[in-house]
Amino acid sequence: MILWWLFKRLPTWALAVLAAAMIAAGFYLRDVTLVEHLWLMPLGFTAPGFETSDYFPLLPNLGYFLLGAVLGRTVYRKKATLLPAVDPNFFLIRGLRFCGRHSLWIYLLHQPVLSGILSLILLVK
């Protein structure tokens, strides 16, 4: 995340506290519509009547990111994988590597494909 440089020097316990506070604040703000100014929307404040399907405010999402950093620092303290060794030529691993190399194209193409499928389903009904 773009803001990681602000938090990366904090100790793990401070990141955990900050993550919990951000997640709690995000859940609180989700149900509160205090403002009528759209410039506060990136923080998690919404205006009355606001509806969208693609809205990811900083609170609680930055908290989730920081929680992931806390888990990464604690679970992978030794900087070694905890996953079992697998054959890199196994078909599922090859498929995951393909998706990782082409993730932008997959992201861009899945929207029109899903929209087309849903349109066909609606036409059939």
Side-chain angles (χ1 to χ4, degrees):
M1 190 168 229
I2 294 173
L3 298 176
W4 174 239
W5 65 273
L6 292 170
F7 304 103
K8 69 180 177 180
R9 294 186 190 265
L10 290 175
T12 304
W13 67 267
L15 277 179
V17 170
L18 192 58
M22 287 182 175
I23 292 169
F27 277 107
Y28 174 75
L29 290 176
R30 181 179 60 180
D31 298 326
V32 175
T33 55
L34 295 175
V35 297
E36 296 198 23
H37 303 288
L38 297 180
W39 58 274
L40 288 173
M41 284 182 57
L43 294 176
F45 293 94
T46 56
F50 174 74
E51 291 183 28
T52 183
S53 62
D54 193 14
Y55 172 63
F56 304 101
L58 282 175
L59 300 173
N61 291 305
L62 182 56
Y64 297 142
F65 175 81
L66 293 179
L67 186 61
V70 168
L71 287 172
R73 284 184 180 180
T74 55
V75 174
Y76 290 104
R77 183 168 297 200
K78 296 179 183 178
K79 308 276 192 234
T81 183
L82 300 176
L83 299 174
V86 294
D87 180 19
N89 291 322
F90 186 57
F91 75 98
L92 288 176
I93 301 300
R94 282 196 325 249
L96 289 173
R97 285 195 332 236
F98 175 83
C99 291
R101 284 192 309 270
H102 299 92
S103 60
L104 178 61
W105 287 109
I106 292 170
Y107 174 76
L108 292 174
L109 292 175
H110 92 279
Q111 292 289 342
V113 169
L114 289 178
S115 295
I117 291 171
L118 290 175
S119 296
L120 287 174
I121 291 172
L122 289 175
L123 283 175
V124 170
K125 285 186 174 184

